């Protein structure tokens, strides 16, 4: 599954996971994306969209 939203461009970011003993371990945070059918110019298109864009109605789902 793709790790970015095709609507807003939100993608994976990296950083450190810090333990109790203050060790730094590299890790990534991935967005919550779903493959849905979206209406685009009157045509149903399958895209990967984050749940934030789906919830805020930035895309119109195909029926």
């Amino acid at each position: 599954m793709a790790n970015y939203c095709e609507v807003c461009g939100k993608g994976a970011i990296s950083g450190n996971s810090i333990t109790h003993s203050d060790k730094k371990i590299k890790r990534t945070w991935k967005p919550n994306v779903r493959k849905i059918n979206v209406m685009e110019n009157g045509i149903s298109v399958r895209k990967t969209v984050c749940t934030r864009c789906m919830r805020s109605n930035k895309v119109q789902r195909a029926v």
Side-chain angles (χ1 to χ4, degrees), residues 18-40:
I18 302 175
T19 64
H20 178 69
S21 62
D22 203 34
K23 289 183 182 178
K24 276 79 172 181
I25 301 166
K26 290 298 257 183
R27 62 157 296 182
T28 59
W29 287 268
K30 296 178 182 175
N32 188 8
V33 293
R34 300 284 183 253
K35 288 185 179 179
I36 62 169
N37 289 321
V38 176
M39 289 300 289
E40 190 173 88

Side-chain angles (χ1 to χ4, degrees), residues 6-7 31 45-46:
E6 294 182 27
V7 177
V45 180
R46 192 171 177 93

Side-chain angles (χ1 to χ4, degrees), residues 29-63:
W29 287 268
K30 296 178 182 175
N32 188 8
V33 293
R34 300 284 183 253
K35 288 185 179 179
I36 62 169
N37 289 321
V38 176
M39 289 300 289
E40 190 173 88
N41 299 327
I43 301 170
S44 178
V45 180
R46 192 171 177 93
K47 288 190 170 188
T48 55
V49 180
C50 68
T51 53
R52 177 67 58 96
C53 289
M54 291 191 313
R55 192 174 65 208
S56 63
N57 293 326
K58 288 187 178 179
V59 293
Q60 182 181 2
R61 294 188 77 158
V63 178

